[in-house]
Amino acid sequence: MEGHNTSSTDFTFMGLFNTEETSGLVFAAISVIFLTALVANGIMIFLIHTDTHLHTPMYFLLSHLSFIDMMYISTIVPKMLIDYLLGQRTISFVGCTAQHFLYLTLVGAEFFLLGLMAYDRYVAICNPLRYPVLMSRRICWIIIAGSWFGGSLDGFLLTPITMSFPFCSSREINHFFCEAPAVLKLACADTALYETVMYVCCVLMLLIPFSVVISSYARILATVYRMSSVEGRKKAFATCSSHMTVVTLFYGAAIYTYMVPHSYHSPSQDKIFSVFYTILTPMLNPLIYSMRNKDVAGALRRALAKLRSSQQGSGDF
C-alpha cells in the first residue's frame, strides 16, 4: 500500500518502531512525552507572562526557551506519531528539507540561548547592583534576536547544501527524522569536504555557547565561594543548578552526536542520543526549572488559587 503512494523523490524513515513487540509501547511513551512537553512548556510560558513575580530577565529568557522547546519537538514527533498510526514511513523531499531547516534553526537557537542565559546568571550573582542595567529589556531582546539569528544562519547555510547532493536509488534514512548525518549517508557524491565544514560549523556552534557557560559559571563559583552568608550560597546554587542541569543534558547529547567521530558510534546509538535531546529534553527543561524553583512553584500555586476562587465565584451565581 505504501509503495503506490511513494514518489521517486520521497525518503523512507527506518524509524524507531522497528519491532512489532515494542512498537506499541514506544509509541505510547513518545505520545506521553510529547503531550507532557507541550503542556509543561505551555504552563511555564503562561505563568511567566501572567505572574508579575516572574517578570524578570531570567524568566523572560526562560519563556523563550520554552517556546523553542515546543516548536522544536513539534517539528519531529507529530509526523512520527501520525506515520505510525497510518502505517507509513515516507516523507517528501520538500518535507524533509523543511524539517531539516526547522530542526537546525531551532536547535541552533537553543544552543545560543542556553549559553547566553548563563551570562544572565553571572550578572545576577557577580554584579547584582548593575543587573537592571546589564540585563535591561533591550539587552534581553538582543539576546533573543541573536539566538534566533545564529540558529537561522545555521539553517540557511547548511540546509540548501545538504539537500542539493544527488541521492542514490536507496532513499531509506536510518533515522526517525531528517538529521544531516543520516541524510548525507544516502548521497552518491563525495561529501567528505562538506562534512568537514559542517563538523567545524557544529563545533563552533557548540563550543562558543559552551565556553560562555563555562566562563560564566567559573566566575559564579568564585563569587559564591567568597560569600559569607550560607543562605546566599544556597540561593545562588539553587538558581544556577537548574540551568546547569539543562545545559549538561542538552549539550552532552549534542556533543556526542556532532563532535565524536562517526566511526565511534553506530546508527542505533545516534537514534538513542537524538531521542534524548530532541524528544526528552523539551519535556525535561520545564520540569527541571519548576521542581527546583520556588518562584515558579509559587506562581503555580497562585494561578491555581485564582482558578479555584473564580470557579467558586461562578458557582455562587
Side-chain angles (χ1 to χ4, degrees):
M1 190 73 183
E2 189 178 314
H4 295 294
N5 298 322
T6 303
S7 166
S8 60
T9 60
D10 288 350
F11 295 99
T12 302
F13 291 127
M14 300 293 285
L16 295 173
F17 312 113
N18 294 327
T19 58
E20 293 184 4
E21 293 81 8
T22 59
S23 60
L25 181 62
V26 174
F27 172 82
I30 292 177
S31 299
V32 171
I33 290 171
F34 176 63
L35 291 174
T36 304
L38 292 184
V39 172
N41 283 292
I43 290 173
M44 185 70 78
I45 293 172
F46 172 78
L47 292 176
I48 290 171
H49 285 276
T50 57
D51 195 296
T52 55
H53 293 83
L54 302 182
H55 290 177
T56 64
M58 182 182 81
Y59 293 110
F60 177 74
L61 298 178
L62 184 56
S63 69
H64 283 270
L65 179 67
S66 291
F67 175 72
I68 291 174
D69 281 335
M70 291 178 72
M71 296 287 290
Y72 187 23
I73 196 170
S74 297
T75 63
I76 298 168
V77 173
K79 174 167 177 54
M80 182 168 51
L81 298 179
I82 292 170
D83 284 353
Y84 175 80
L85 293 175
L86 297 179
Q88 64 183 29
R89 297 181 299 158
T90 59
I91 186 171
S92 66
F93 179 83
V94 174
C96 188
T97 303
Q99 188 183 64
H100 185 272
F101 170 76
L102 290 172
Y103 160 74
L104 283 180
T105 299
L106 292 165
V107 76
E110 184 149 344
F111 281 146
F112 288 115
L113 183 57
L114 282 173
L116 291 170
M117 284 174 72
Y119 168 76
D120 167 75
R121 293 298 80 213
Y122 158 71
V123 175
I125 294 172
C126 300
N127 293 286
L129 297 179
R130 299 186 63 197
Y131 185 73
V133 176
L134 296 177
M135 287 301 299
S136 64
R137 176 68 75 168
R138 178 174 171 272
I139 297 298
C140 288
W141 278 113
I142 289 174
I143 289 174
I144 297 299
S147 300
W148 279 105
F149 175 78
S152 300
L153 185 65
D154 190 42
F156 278 115
L157 285 176
L158 297 182
T159 301
I161 303 174
T162 301
M163 304 308 294
S164 65
F165 283 103
F167 296 102
C168 302
S169 56
S170 175
R171 302 175 75 88
E172 285 194 344
I173 301 175
N174 193 5
H175 216 326
F176 57 91
F177 72 103
C178 291
E179 193 170 19
V183 173
L184 287 174
K185 289 179 181 178
L186 305 181
C188 296
D190 182 15
T191 62
L193 177 61
Y194 173 60
E195 288 188 55
T196 302
V197 173
M198 186 173 68
Y199 176 79
V200 173
C201 181
C202 291
V203 167
L204 290 174
M205 283 195 64
L206 283 165
L207 289 186
I208 292 175
F210 196 62
S211 63
V212 174
V213 172
I214 295 299
S215 60
S216 296
Y217 278 99
R219 291 172 176 267
I220 287 171
L221 287 174
T223 302
V224 170
Y225 181 76
R226 291 195 297 266
M227 285 183 178
S228 57
S229 169
V230 176
E231 190 63 31
R233 288 186 182 185
K234 287 183 179 179
K235 187 175 181 181
F237 278 122
T239 57
C240 295
S241 59
S242 297
H243 182 253
M244 275 305 298
T245 303
V246 170
V247 166
T248 302
L249 292 173
F250 191 69
Y251 279 69
I255 286 172
Y256 175 87
T257 301
Y258 288 100
M259 291 182 64
V260 176
H262 295 302
S263 57
Y264 287 90
H265 46 94
S266 64
S268 60
Q269 290 173 326
D270 289 340
K271 289 182 187 179
I272 292 171
F273 276 89
S274 293
V275 165
F276 195 83
Y277 74 87
T278 60
I279 299 176
L280 284 177
T281 302
M283 178 195 72
L284 293 174
N285 284 356
L287 299 180
I288 291 170
Y289 275 106
S290 60
M291 282 190 299
R292 302 208 58 181
N293 194 303
K294 294 180 180 179
D295 294 334
V296 175
L300 182 59
R301 285 195 297 269
R302 287 188 290 272
L304 293 174
K306 285 182 182 179
L307 180 63
R308 283 194 294 268
S309 63
S310 63
Q311 288 177 341
Q312 290 173 356
S314 62
D316 294 337
F317 292 100

